[in-house]
Amino acid sequence: MRTPLVAGNWKMNGSRVMARELAGAIAAAPPAGVEILLCPPVSLLETVAQAVAGSAIAVGGQDVSEYDSGAYTGETAASMLAEFDCRYVIVGHSERRQYFGDTDERVAAKAAAAHAARLAPIVCVGETLAERQAGTTEAVVCRQLDAVLALGNINDLLPRMVLAYEPVWAIGTGETATPAEAQAVHEVLRQRLAASAAEAAGAMRILYGGSVKPDNASELFQKADIDGGLIGGASLKADSFLAICAHAA
Ligand code: PGA
């Protein structure tokens, strides 16, 4: 049995007042039977960690450096995230890949850096609209996953890792993959994982992300290989985020 995970990716949104209120409201009434994770901007990690202290809500980062420390202006090391009680960090989000040049190899290196600091990497994969229309969805997501599977220590890494399938054309657009479309890709990803590590493949949570809302979450989460969600816009309001969490429970 995989415990579902619902992660809120706040992206570059929020203030200290907002973070205290939103995280506090989520921590006050979390549904049981689902693991809940909040990923605020780095500047709000401490505020959120304080607001959820004593609850079951986990805190995570949105990205991490592939380096341990040193002259990397603007970067945040995994060990630094760990100091804020982060248990997870998102790597390879399509916005990082599109706007900040994160390559498959860099994403894999970031996953390894997270793992080395005992953080669980949430590795995001997903195709653009052009790639879907060209019929290359499976090839793209498998290529993105393969970069991680090519790391040396996957037997250690995979039991900790979470995978997120996020079709780029569905992120922040209000368009969402149908449950059947999403399930088809999730199944491909789990099979790809199983070819490297059967047990870890069966245990790994594969989240769906891309315009998940309270009214489409239930159908998505009912699919066999969809183990929760990575939520952007709808994670910025306590009621919509909690409603999505309740559907995963
Ligand atoms: P969205 O974002 O829910 O706003 O589409 C999802 C994501 O980017 O993780």
Side-chain angles (χ1 to χ4, degrees):
M1 257 304 277
R2 298 182 291 265
T3 303
L5 171 65
V6 176
N9 174 10
W10 291 8
K11 308 192 181 184
M12 199 171 71
N13 293 295
S15 64
R16 284 163 75 170
V17 170
M18 170 275 202
R20 210 172 292 128
E21 283 177 10
L22 178 55
I26 292 164
V34 53
E35 192 178 350
I36 300 174
L37 167 66
L38 302 181
C39 297
V42 170
S43 61
L44 298 175
L45 278 174
E46 184 157 28
T47 305
V48 171
Q50 282 170 358
V52 304
S55 78
I57 311 289
V59 179
Q62 296 178 7
D63 188 33
V64 69
S65 173
E66 66 266 48
Y67 303 111
D68 290 341
S69 66
Y72 300 103
T73 301
E75 292 290 276
T76 305
S79 61
M80 297 171 179
L81 295 178
E83 283 203 304
F84 292 101
D85 296 328
C86 287
R87 274 185 259 162
Y88 292 88
V89 62
I90 300 166
V91 297
H93 190 280
S94 66
E95 287 151 16
R96 299 295 321 171
R97 294 178 189 265
Q98 275 188 299
Y99 307 142
F100 303 99
D102 282 14
T103 60
D104 295 343
E105 289 65 36
R106 183 178 294 160
V107 172
K110 288 180 172 190
H115 176 60
R118 299 196 165 77
L119 299 180
I122 301 176
V123 177
C124 301
V125 299
E127 82 288 3
T128 63
L129 184 59
E131 288 164 340
R132 174 161 283 264
Q133 286 169 343
T136 57
T137 297
E138 287 188 14
V140 168
V141 298
C142 286
R143 187 201 75 220
Q144 292 170 334
L145 176 58
D146 285 352
V148 176
L149 296 177
L151 291 168
N153 60 344
I154 56 164
N155 289 335
D156 290 342
L157 170 68
L158 292 185
R160 182 178 270 156
M161 182 175 126
V162 175
L163 194 56
Y165 168 56
E166 297 206 306
V168 180
W169 48 271
I171 294 177
T173 58
E175 293 254 346
T176 183
T178 66
E181 282 171 335
Q183 165 59 26
V185 178
H186 282 231
E187 201 178 324
V188 165
L189 290 168
R190 203 179 298 283
Q191 282 165 1
R192 193 75 165 193
L193 286 162
S196 294
E199 201 178 319
M204 189 176 297
R205 271 98 50 100
I206 308 183
L207 313 183
Y208 171 78
S211 298
V212 177
K213 306 285 181 233
D215 60 359
N216 60 23
S218 169
E219 258 199 298
L220 286 159
F221 296 162
Q222 276 168 35
K223 291 294 180 189
D225 289 295
I226 301 182
D227 308 309
L230 182 51
I231 318 301
S235 74
L236 294 171
K237 292 267 182 302
D239 53 353
S240 56
F241 185 65
L242 285 168
I244 293 169
C245 292
H247 283 303

